[in-house]
Amino acid sequence: MQNGILPLWKEKGMTSHDCVFKLRKILKMKRIGHTGTLDPSVEGVLPICLGESTKVAEYLTNAGKIYEAEVTIGASTTTEDADGDVVESNDSHKHFTPQDILSALTALTGTIEQTPPMYSAVKVNGKKLYEYARAGVSVERPTRQVKIYELTLLSEEASYSGKHVSFRIRVSCSKGTYIRTLAVQIGEKLGYPAHMSNLVRTNSGTFTATDCLTLKQVQDLVDNELLTDKLYDLDYALQDMPKFEVPSDLEKAIKNGQVLDAIEALNDHQRIVYTKDSQAVAVYIKHPSKEGRMKPEKMFNRLDKEGDAK
């Protein structure tokens, strides 16, 4: 069975689950998980976790993302992107300077509030919003805070004029940000209905487009027994966490996932990693109820019964 992180380039027209389904057939294995849903109309970087690496999928999912999006001013849609039905249209002649757009982007940089679109996978009372939307049922959507680290205007026009105006932006943001909703918010700042007309995810955590393989490339590598060379070790998902070599006197306790006395590093970091021969064997966090203690959040099968690294 393959183990590791596979940076996949998700193509348009597929769901993230479609990618996992196809990879299960290509790799002939079931233990595969993706690290964050991309809508079918969106292409881009989608790290896939294989085998033991599925244990670190949440860390990759929680990592920041970078997108390149096209925003179209003049019409809003039911889905907040180009796939939905038009809800509101304004065909008046519009004129924006680059500074007008930059001012809107600046106003939306930092910590902002977003209300997820009705056509999204956010759950309310155990049911996904898009299920309510398809049934024609309106429910109150939870507003949440997200972080926009950077918003850059990529288009370089001297001015933007017309009934419908489009421009491209780059968005560096936290987990949970809806770029569709951000496009609508940009339109609100400019005074008109808007939607996201195109989207590409260029970065997921430290993975970039150049790191990625297409499904066809994965198939070709598997056929030639070369895929293993293209996989990233699960430690890649833990690279921002402090590392500590397993002390010899705690090797058995850590292997068995025991609660231990907390180490000082957990005062400054949410998680620490214990390693054996530079390979991660456990991720520890502060114990939620036992003061001064710590417990394993993740355990990796890298120590055998005698405590030696595999």
Side-chain angles (χ1 to χ4, degrees):
M1 182 175 71
Q2 296 277 8
N3 287 292
I5 302 166
L6 166 63
L8 183 74
W9 185 262
K10 189 193 88 68
E11 298 160 54
K12 282 188 177 180
M14 301 177 65
T15 66
S16 299
H17 182 73
D18 289 337
C19 294
V20 170
F21 178 77
K22 288 181 179 293
L23 284 170
R24 282 175 177 155
K25 294 183 72 173
I26 293 171
L27 301 175
K28 297 179 174 59
M29 60 182 287
K30 290 184 178 180
R31 199 177 174 193
I32 300 177
H34 65 74
T35 59
T37 303
L38 282 179
D39 292 334
S41 60
V42 180
E43 62 179 320
V45 181
L46 180 65
I48 301 288
C49 294
L50 310 177
E52 184 77 356
S53 296
T54 54
K55 292 179 179 178
V56 300
E58 70 176 88
Y59 303 141
L60 294 171
T61 302
N62 291 338
K65 312 290 192 294
I66 299 178
Y67 298 88
E68 291 186 6
E70 182 182 68
V71 179
T72 295
I73 309 295
S76 60
T77 70
T78 51
T79 56
E80 301 184 349
D81 60 16
D83 295 334
D85 298 326
V86 174
V87 175
E88 181 184 357
S89 184
N90 184 313
D91 292 332
S92 64
H93 183 80
K94 301 165 187 64
H95 177 81
F96 307 110
T97 66
Q99 189 55 49
D100 292 331
I101 297 171
L102 289 170
S103 294
L105 300 185
T106 299
L108 290 165
T109 302
T111 300
I112 65 170
E113 289 192 342
Q114 285 194 326
T115 302
M118 276 300 296
Y119 283 89
S120 66
V122 173
K123 287 187 176 181
V124 174
N125 298 325
K127 197 172 181 180
K128 293 177 181 177
L129 282 175
Y130 67 74
E131 294 175 315
Y132 289 110
R134 289 171 181 170
V137 177
S138 181
V139 294
E140 187 173 342
R141 291 169 283 166
T143 297
R144 59 189 180 186
Q145 288 190 335
V146 298
K147 288 186 178 179
I148 308 298
Y149 303 119
E150 190 173 0
L151 265 178
T152 307
L153 178 62
L154 297 178
S155 299
E156 298 180 343
E157 306 297 326
S159 64
Y160 301 82
S161 301
K163 291 183 178 180
H164 287 197
V165 173
S166 297
F167 51 85
R168 292 174 57 247
I169 61 173
R170 180 184 293 118
V171 186
S172 175
C173 59
S174 67
K175 171 198 173 185
T177 303
Y178 277 93
I179 311 300
R180 290 181 278 159
T181 302
L182 185 62
V184 172
Q185 292 174 295
I186 292 169
E188 290 171 352
K189 295 293 183 186
L190 294 170
Y192 294 97
H195 67 278
M196 182 192 76
S197 41
N198 189 57
L199 184 65
V200 178
R201 183 196 278 169
T202 59
N203 296 64
S204 180
T206 54
F207 290 110
T208 68
T210 55
D211 297 322
C212 292
L213 300 170
T214 64
L215 284 169
K216 183 182 183 306
Q217 288 173 319
V218 173
Q219 180 69 72
D220 291 343
L221 288 165
V222 169
D223 291 343
N224 290 286
E225 299 183 352
L226 295 172
L227 181 63
T228 301
D229 295 337
K230 298 293 184 180
L231 300 180
Y232 290 76
D233 192 89
L234 66 81
D235 293 72
Y236 196 82
L238 313 175
Q239 58 185 307
D240 293 332
M241 302 177 194
K243 310 290 192 303
F244 298 90
E245 191 74 0
V246 174
S248 57
D249 60 326
L250 291 178
E251 198 161 307
K252 184 176 180 182
I254 291 172
K255 172 192 171 294
N256 292 330
Q258 291 181 10
V259 172
L260 304 172
D261 288 335
I263 64 173
E264 192 174 338
L266 282 172
N267 292 327
D268 301 314
H269 300 275
Q270 189 175 357
R271 299 176 175 87
I272 61 103
V273 180
Y274 275 117
T275 62
K276 178 70 174 178
D277 299 329
S278 299
Q279 285 193 315
V281 295
V283 175
Y284 268 76
I285 59 173
K286 279 186 177 181
H287 198 287
S289 59
K290 296 180 180 178
E291 186 70 27
R293 304 280 275 171
M294 63 180 182
K295 58 172 283 190
E297 183 178 57
K298 305 286 181 184
M299 299 289 297
F300 309 115
N301 296 325
R302 285 170 160 177
L303 293 175
D304 65 18
K305 291 180 180 178
E306 283 73 44
D308 296 326
K310 287 186 177 180

